[in-house]
Amino acid sequence: AAIVYQTTNGVARADYLGQFGTLTLTVVNVNNDDFGSYAGDGIDDAWQVQYFGLGNPNAAPTADPDGDGQNNLLEYLAGTNPTNAASAFTLSLTGKTVSFAPVTTGRTYSVEFATNLTTKIFTPLTGGTTVDNGTTRSVTDNSPINSARYYRVKISLP
């Protein structure tokens, strides 16, 4: 067996003195980021093969093959299609409401804020109001503090 990018069925055959036997087996993918040229780049290998096939340099984490300004690592984390420029993660701010899309199954989204961009210290927003409308999520900062705040959305995979 070899390293695979997804769990794969296989067959083993043995011959000995004119006798032979076969065995059907399953080769299990135990690490999602260890296959060939896609190994160790922070993106699930099956995702890269799904969109780019095997060994394609357009699958690199920093590549932006659809030209939408979002590299493959962001597209993977956001759950968007890296070969379709219309499929992109969007973020907007209206007052103290952060809206972003798409919200994709299997991901966790956390809105964080900082009061100073020089220190780059972001803190999870707590006590906000969250409203989902289709694949768009809006989070309103209910803090009574009126000082400047800078927001970002952190996307995590389990």
Side-chain angles (χ1 to χ4, degrees):
I3 294 174
V4 294
Y5 64 87
Q6 64 185 11
T7 298
T8 306
N9 291 326
V11 176
R13 179 185 166 126
D15 291 307
Y16 180 72
L17 299 174
Q19 300 294 317
F20 70 91
T22 59
L23 171 69
T24 302
L25 53 98
T26 302
V27 180
V28 178
N29 181 25
V30 296
N31 182 337
N32 293 335
D33 192 17
D34 64 352
F35 181 77
S37 63
Y38 298 154
D41 61 9
I43 298 177
D44 187 316
D45 301 328
W47 184 89
Q48 289 173 297
V49 171
Q50 173 188 351
Y51 287 105
F52 301 104
L54 297 173
N56 187 335
N58 284 332
T62 57
D64 180 16
D66 60 6
D68 64 1
Q70 298 182 353
N71 67 34
N72 287 334
L73 183 57
L74 175 59
E75 299 248 24
Y76 166 66
L77 291 172
T80 56
N81 181 336
T83 64
N84 179 351
S87 176
F89 185 77
T90 61
L91 177 84
S92 65
L93 179 65
T94 305
K96 292 172 83 176
T97 300
V98 179
S99 297
F100 53 93
V103 173
T104 305
T105 303
R107 283 143 178 87
T108 303
Y109 301 87
S110 303
V111 175
E112 300 177 336
F113 74 93
T115 57
N116 181 332
L117 289 180
T118 304
T119 61
K120 299 180 184 174
I121 298 172
F122 281 82
T123 304
L125 179 65
T126 58
T129 303
T130 301
V131 175
D132 287 339
N133 183 6
T135 62
T136 300
R137 177 167 293 166
S138 298
V139 179
T140 302
D141 183 350
N142 293 326
S143 168
I145 298 171
N146 289 322
S147 62
R149 285 194 173 198
Y150 305 91
Y151 299 95
R152 72 180 182 185
V153 175
K154 183 177 180 182
I155 306 171
S156 304
L157 291 166

